[in-house]
Amino acid sequence: MPEKLIIGLVGEMGSGKETFGKILEENLSGHCVARFTFSHLLRETLGLWDIEPTRENLQKLARVMDDGFGEGTLTHAARRQIDIMEADVIIVDGIRWESDYTLIRSFPRNVLIYITASPQIRFERLRARKEKTGESAMTWEQFQEVSQARNELSIPTIGARADEQIENNGSLEEFTASASACIQELIRE
């Protein structure tokens, strides 16, 4: 049995990582596909303490874990989860730290995909999707502030080392076409 294929998704908030993951799952229908998101671990932790899962709280918890227990604490927890997942392909969504990059590259079969979009488009998407508490009421100034959080700063640097990059500044149909073409290339390899 071949090694699992680990597909890491890196991208700024609102760039389209989750949408890409869904497109990827649809294109890999003949495979057993599992998804892992770093934010899921953070959400579970906040939920245990009955703390609202706002973007700020998710970012703060990740920093607190690293500051209190050592750099890469969240990444180590992610590794444990990924190792026990039974799937041919595992999509790891939310690469943000250098330790996350190292995690993805530690698997024999890995691909890193950078999904990016302009700040204005990402801001509009966040407000429209309302995925995290408070996003629909977020102001441009708040968006710029959370974009500069420590958790977000390494994304472009990691993205520059990705195997593939997809610009997501157009329509959903355009993004789906770009994502599908990227996925078909991955499947051929």
Side-chain angles (χ1 to χ4, degrees):
M1 176 178 232
E3 295 276 341
K4 310 177 191 189
L5 172 60
I6 307 298
I7 301 175
L9 303 180
V10 59
E12 297 85 1
M13 58 182 172
S15 61
K17 297 179 301 296
E18 184 175 340
T19 302
F20 182 89
K22 289 176 183 174
I23 296 166
L24 182 58
E25 285 180 296
E26 290 169 10
N27 278 266
L28 296 175
S29 59
H31 297 273
C32 179
V33 180
R35 292 184 70 176
F36 173 85
T37 63
F38 286 93
S39 65
H40 180 75
L41 282 176
L42 296 170
R43 282 177 181 278
E44 279 186 354
T45 304
L46 289 175
L48 290 171
W49 294 94
D50 198 27
I51 298 172
E52 196 169 22
T54 63
R55 182 167 299 280
E56 292 83 4
N57 286 344
L58 293 166
Q59 289 176 335
K60 185 176 185 177
L61 179 58
R63 290 190 308 268
V64 166
M65 296 298 290
D66 264 11
D67 292 346
F69 299 102
E71 188 174 316
T73 299
L74 183 59
T75 306
H76 295 300
R79 177 67 190 232
R80 292 177 55 139
Q81 293 296 309
I82 293 166
D83 282 344
I84 63 171
M85 295 175 104
E86 293 186 20
D88 304 334
V89 179
I90 299 176
I91 304 165
V92 181
D93 183 345
I95 308 302
R96 286 186 152 58
W97 303 92
E98 190 63 33
S99 57
D100 301 342
Y101 173 82
T102 302
L103 168 68
I104 297 303
R105 296 304 194 195
S106 73
F107 290 94
R109 294 182 61 216
N110 69 79
V111 176
L112 185 64
I113 300 170
Y114 181 32
I115 301 162
T116 189
S118 75
Q120 187 63 40
I121 288 173
R122 293 185 297 107
F123 170 66
E124 291 168 10
R125 286 181 186 149
L126 286 178
R127 287 179 48 95
R129 75 178 185 192
K130 304 171 189 170
E131 180 181 290
K132 294 181 177 69
T133 304
E135 283 183 342
S136 63
M138 183 183 286
T139 66
W140 175 249
E141 291 75 22
Q142 290 169 322
F143 172 79
Q144 290 178 306
E145 185 178 324
V146 296
S147 294
Q148 293 304 308
R150 190 170 90 197
N151 313 50
E152 305 294 314
L153 296 178
S154 295
I155 291 172
T157 304
I158 294 169
R161 293 180 282 162
D163 301 302
E164 300 287 336
Q165 179 173 334
I166 299 175
E167 295 280 334
N168 185 14
N169 288 316
S171 68
L172 178 59
E173 292 77 22
E174 291 169 319
F175 182 57
T176 300
S178 296
S180 295
C182 174
I183 294 162
Q184 291 307 313
E185 185 66 30
L186 291 174
I187 292 170
R188 278 194 290 272
E189 293 174 6

